[in-house]
Amino acid sequence: DNPDIRLQEAYQRIAYNKGVMLYQERDYQQSIDYFEKSLKFQPDKEMASMSRYWIAECYYYRGSYSKCMKAYEDFIYSPGAALTDYFNLANYNVGYAYFQQDKYLEAPNWFRRYTSVRSEKDSLKLSDANLRIGDCYFMLNQYDAAQIYYSEAVKIGKSDPDYALYQSSMTAGLLKRPNDKLVGLQALVKQYPHSRYLDASYYEIGRTHIMLGDDTKALENLNKVVKDFPGSSYVRKALVSIGQTHFNANRDDEALAVYKRIVTEYPTYEDSREALIGIESIYVQQGKAAEFEEYVNGLAFVDFSETARDSLNYQAAETQYFNGQCTEAVDGFTKYLNRFEKAIFALNAKFYRAECQMRMGMYEAALSDYEFVAEQPRNKFTEPALVQVARKEYQKKNYPQALAHYKRLALLGEYKDNLFESEIGQMRCNYELKNYQGAIANAIIALESDKADKKLQTEANLVIAKSNLMLESPTEAATYFEKVIADGSPSQAAEALYMKSRLLFNADQLDSAESVIFYVVENYRSQAYWVAKALILLSDVYVTRGDLFQAKATLQSVIDNYKGEDDVKMQAKSKLDTITQLENQEPEPEPEEFEIDFGTQVLEVEADTSSAVPVLELPVLDSIAPPSTPADTLKND
């Protein structure tokens, strides 16, 4: 009840270390519990500050941003925080917590606090912080300020440099500096030929040339988007601009062909509305109103007689959605979709309804709407819908379906975070489905991404190692297991060490395997599963050496002490039964012995009782030379 300072220090440190271990295992709620326990006694002020920091990190990864911001501030203003390496990093993290909540007014203040520290050397985070400040000001329509920070991010050039250059160019355009915008975009396509922003850049270059009155260059770049990036969301936008350019130049036949292509390839009212307006204008100008009416009546996705009422009902529900009234919005979207059999805004309604249902915890209903959106032709909601559907299918262990959605996301995605998630998702699904070559390929791509933190790098290395093991490539597997041992969480490192000991056992390196097993047992006692697996393997080492007594004792210790609800104890019992059966087998009859008299020496010789052996008279030997080395002794024995 009244521990002395020595016990207080021990309690604080033990609780802190347990919290760190649970954090590494991504068990964030239990991790918070132990960090809070470590704050019960605070003899070490720096450790107490670090407990507050990790509590904030746990809340961040759980998506509890309001709690995480409070915890970060508790850390920043706590005694001892300034002595830690995380003091300035906390400012960066608070900025991200605000940014994740779309609080663009508050986020820049914290990011600027991070960038203002002159001693900060992390150029990657400095570049990223400037990018996020630029994004905030961009969202607030403060383009002059955004331009300053985007330019700084371009100058540092460490975090998403192509995105920084793209945003800097777009901001220049919004500031009515089209020539500066053009220079920036042309630099992007030249310097980053594999950028994910190439399609957007060529589209914006084309649009800028239209503004500058150069239709030839405009059409050249817009057609490049259509031809070279067939899966891009900018294809439809480029086609609309191409059609409009032809229409403005009185090339009605070319414009009409482009507009009809849009209607065919994007059969929703939302996506083809601009094209339909263009088609209507051309037919009306040509005095062919009846032909336009006939054309529209042949479209399956729109009924113009219902358009006005359809739009009115949709807008009422949409207003509630954007006002944050999810319960009312879900009800409104549901009534809208039930009322209109061919609802013009069905795509929007289902996506927005799914978003609300997710916030309300109606996951199955949300999944159904997300699946509808994801299965439609490419649209503005395809990417976020695919992300949600893939996640939910993976959580339900529907790995084939999840893999299919992650693959489509890789083809259609434009945002780096989503593309990275796609590779990680494919890696996990392929491994679960025993597509080991595919898992290795995805893991290698993930490792090359600047989005991969240490945890995901370790997970990818572990997948590569285990996949190589299944593909009977032990040398490659061993290389990646060593990386996991060096950088992994306790459970990952324990698993990798166990796998290493198995590789050594399979290679008949029994002493080395035994050493690794003892290391696991002594240093990873919190990882009961892998300790038990290692002890079972140790029993195999003893059996191979012929030491059945030690093998039995080792297996019995697993049976007596292991508490896990899995097959480990059953495996130990099975091996123990096998050893017992070996011991209970009838022993072979002892061979008879007879003596040969050599005069001064008598040698005992085992007789082969299976056949008669004649007794030979051998000459008497004066002496027997001793073996020269211990090794020779073993050989003679």
Side-chain angles (χ1 to χ4, degrees):
D1 292 333
N2 297 294
D4 60 20
I5 187 64
R6 184 178 61 86
L7 287 177
Q8 289 180 21
E9 289 173 349
Y11 185 95
Q12 182 187 22
R13 182 170 297 280
I14 290 169
Y16 176 82
N17 288 341
K18 178 70 172 179
V20 170
M21 189 196 77
L22 290 165
Y23 174 83
Q24 292 174 326
E25 301 295 343
R26 304 186 190 186
D27 189 345
Y28 298 121
Q29 184 53 60
Q30 279 208 70
S31 181
I32 290 170
D33 294 341
Y34 275 92
F35 285 127
E36 288 178 342
K37 286 182 180 182
S38 77
L39 293 172
K40 181 177 180 180
F41 305 110
Q42 302 182 28
D44 187 330
K45 300 302 180 187
E46 185 176 342
M47 187 179 293
S49 294
M50 288 307 303
S51 290
R52 294 184 176 93
Y53 177 84
W54 293 117
I55 288 170
E57 285 282 283
C58 290
Y59 279 129
Y60 182 90
Y61 285 113
R62 293 190 70 202
S64 304
Y65 297 119
S66 59
K67 289 183 179 180
C68 96
M69 290 188 295
K70 173 67 168 57
Y72 278 130
E73 291 185 35
D74 287 346
F75 162 73
I76 291 169
Y77 299 119
S78 65
L83 301 175
T84 70
D85 295 333
Y86 297 87
F87 184 64
N88 191 38
L89 182 60
N91 293 318
Y92 174 83
N93 294 340
V94 175
Y96 252 109
Y98 277 113
F99 187 80
Q100 293 284 16
Q101 300 175 86
D102 299 337
K103 294 184 177 181
Y104 302 121
L105 277 172
E106 297 88 346
N109 298 328
W110 291 92
F111 284 125
R112 285 203 306 269
R113 287 177 66 169
Y114 175 78
T115 60
S116 66
V117 176
R118 293 184 179 180
S119 60
E120 183 57 57
K121 303 296 184 184
D122 191 333
S123 57
L124 182 66
K125 283 190 171 63
L126 284 170
S127 179
D128 183 67
N130 279 288
L131 264 183
R132 297 293 81 85
I133 297 169
D135 287 341
C136 289
Y137 287 133
F138 188 91
M139 296 302 294
L140 295 169
N141 300 328
Q142 297 178 25
Y143 302 121
D144 286 317
Q147 181 71 21
I148 293 170
Y149 287 97
Y150 283 139
S151 298
E152 182 64 21
V154 171
K155 181 180 175 182
I156 300 172
K158 291 293 185 179
S159 175
D160 293 341
D162 53 342
Y163 172 74
L165 188 52
Y166 177 77
Q167 285 297 102
S168 177
S169 304
M170 293 298 293
T171 307
L174 292 167
L175 291 170
K176 302 189 185 304
R177 301 204 304 264
N179 288 313
D180 289 345
K181 175 183 177 180
L182 205 55
V183 169
L185 292 172
Q186 288 172 337
L188 189 155
V189 299
K190 183 177 181 181
Q191 294 174 26
Y192 303 100
H194 302 293
S195 169
R196 283 283 174 176
Y197 303 100
L198 281 184
D199 51 351
S201 297
Y202 282 117
Y203 170 74
E204 291 295 341
I205 290 171
R207 293 285 298 168
T208 307
H209 278 304
I210 290 175
M211 185 184 301
L212 295 172
D214 191 337
D215 285 358
T216 301
K217 288 186 177 178
L219 290 171
E220 177 185 333
N221 284 278
L222 293 169
N223 278 310
K224 188 173 183 63
V225 175
V226 176
K227 180 181 177 182
D228 295 351
F229 305 93
S232 169
S233 63
Y234 285 91
V235 170
R236 185 190 66 81
K237 298 177 182 179
L239 286 169
V240 170
S241 294
I242 291 168
Q244 190 65 45
T245 302
H246 286 310
F247 180 77
N248 292 340
N250 296 318
R251 295 190 291 270
D252 289 352
D253 290 342
E254 290 91 333
L256 193 61
V258 173
Y259 285 142
K260 287 187 174 182
R261 174 180 175 180
I262 295 169
V263 173
T264 300
E265 295 183 2
Y266 301 90
T268 68
Y269 182 71
E270 180 75 9
D271 286 333
S272 62
R273 180 167 48 184
E274 295 160 295
L276 288 168
I277 292 171
I279 293 169
E280 182 181 16
S281 298
I282 292 171
Y283 275 127
V284 169
Q285 285 182 10
Q286 294 177 348
K288 299 177 179 178
E291 287 187 30
F292 175 70
E293 185 177 350
E294 182 182 349
Y295 172 75
V296 171
N297 288 335
L299 300 176
F301 61 89
V302 62
D303 181 354
F304 271 89
S305 63
E306 289 278 282
T307 299
R309 289 190 297 115
D310 181 300
S311 181
L312 185 65
N313 280 266
Y314 168 75
Q315 287 173 2
E318 185 186 62
T319 300
Q320 291 173 321
Y321 170 78
F322 284 112
N323 286 338
Q325 299 170 291
C326 265
T327 302
E328 294 81 359
V330 168
D331 184 55
F333 286 130
T334 302
K335 288 179 179 177
Y336 165 73
L337 291 166
N338 290 339
R339 180 172 182 179
F340 297 95
E341 184 179 352
K342 295 181 180 179
I344 293 173
F345 300 100
L347 187 72
N348 297 47
K350 292 208 172 189
F351 180 78
Y352 293 143
R353 185 171 68 174
E355 292 283 277
C356 273
Q357 288 166 335
M358 281 291 290
R359 295 172 199 167
M360 296 164 66
M362 302 165 62
Y363 301 122
E364 287 302 318
L367 181 60
S368 176
D369 280 347
Y370 281 132
E371 285 176 339
F372 172 84
V373 175
E375 290 167 2
Q376 302 309 303
R378 176 67 181 268
N379 58 77
K380 63 182 178 181
F381 301 122
T382 298
E383 188 168 354
L386 280 171
V387 170
Q388 294 291 353
V389 172
R391 286 175 183 171
K392 294 304 172 189
E393 294 290 9
Y394 181 81
Q395 289 170 5
K396 293 164 67 177
K397 299 186 178 182
N398 294 334
Y399 300 122
Q401 296 90 327
L403 180 61
H405 291 304
Y406 277 127
K407 282 184 175 180
R408 189 158 179 245
L409 179 60
L411 292 172
L412 302 180
E414 295 176 354
Y415 294 98
K416 280 192 173 182
D417 285 346
N418 291 337
L419 292 169
F420 177 67
E421 182 174 342
S422 167
E423 293 299 335
I424 293 294
Q426 289 183 73
M427 174 189 78
R428 291 169 177 166
C429 291
N430 274 320
Y431 184 79
E432 294 291 344
L433 294 169
K434 301 182 180 181
N435 299 328
Y436 298 118
Q437 290 287 11
I440 291 172
N442 295 129
I444 290 172
I445 294 172
L447 286 171
E448 293 173 352
S449 171
D450 57 5
K451 299 289 182 183
D453 59 18
K454 182 171 282 189
K455 293 178 187 176
L456 287 171
Q457 288 173 356
T458 302
E459 181 184 352
N461 283 325
L462 191 56
V463 166
I464 294 173
K466 290 162 71 175
S467 295
N468 273 305
L469 200 60
M470 299 306 295
L471 294 171
E472 299 182 357
S473 300
T475 304
E476 290 82 353
T479 300
Y480 284 94
F481 279 133
E482 291 296 341
K483 294 181 180 181
V484 177
I485 293 166
D487 298 324
S489 68
S491 66
Q492 291 171 324
E495 181 180 4
L497 283 163
Y498 167 73
M499 291 296 184
K500 178 180 179 179
S501 64
R502 273 186 56 189
L503 287 172
L504 291 167
F505 176 79
N506 292 339
D508 204 27
Q509 298 179 38
L510 301 185
D511 290 343
S512 297
E514 185 180 45
S515 296
V516 175
I517 290 168
F518 283 140
Y519 184 82
V520 173
V521 173
E522 291 168 8
N523 294 279
Y524 291 89
R525 296 183 184 182
S526 64
Q527 305 303 313
Y529 177 81
W530 294 114
V531 169
K533 293 284 286 184
L535 288 172
I536 291 173
L537 181 61
L538 181 61
S539 74
D540 292 337
V541 172
Y542 288 139
V543 169
T544 305
R545 289 174 174 165
D547 190 345
L548 301 187
F549 176 81
Q550 285 279 30
K552 287 171 63 180
T554 303
L555 291 169
Q556 191 63 53
S557 72
V558 174
I559 295 167
D560 292 342
N561 298 298
Y562 185 68
K563 307 300 182 185
E565 299 293 331
D566 47 51
D567 63 344
V568 169
K569 189 174 288 191
M570 186 182 300
Q571 185 181 359
K573 288 179 178 178
S574 174
K575 283 183 177 288
L576 183 59
D577 290 343
T578 301
I579 295 173
T580 303
Q581 289 172 11
L582 284 173
E583 288 183 323
N584 291 336
Q585 288 178 354
E586 288 189 18
E588 294 182 6
E590 290 288 333
E592 296 179 7
E593 296 182 351
F594 61 91
E595 294 182 356
I596 301 177
D597 187 355
F598 288 106
T600 60
Q601 299 181 24
V602 176
L603 299 181
E604 291 186 351
V605 181
E606 291 186 353
D608 185 349
T609 57
S610 62
S611 60
V613 180
V615 177
L616 302 178
E617 294 184 3
L618 300 176
V620 177
L621 302 177
D622 293 332
S623 64
I624 298 176
S628 59
T629 66
D632 291 331
T633 303
L634 292 175
K635 290 176 185 176
N636 286 331
D637 288 346

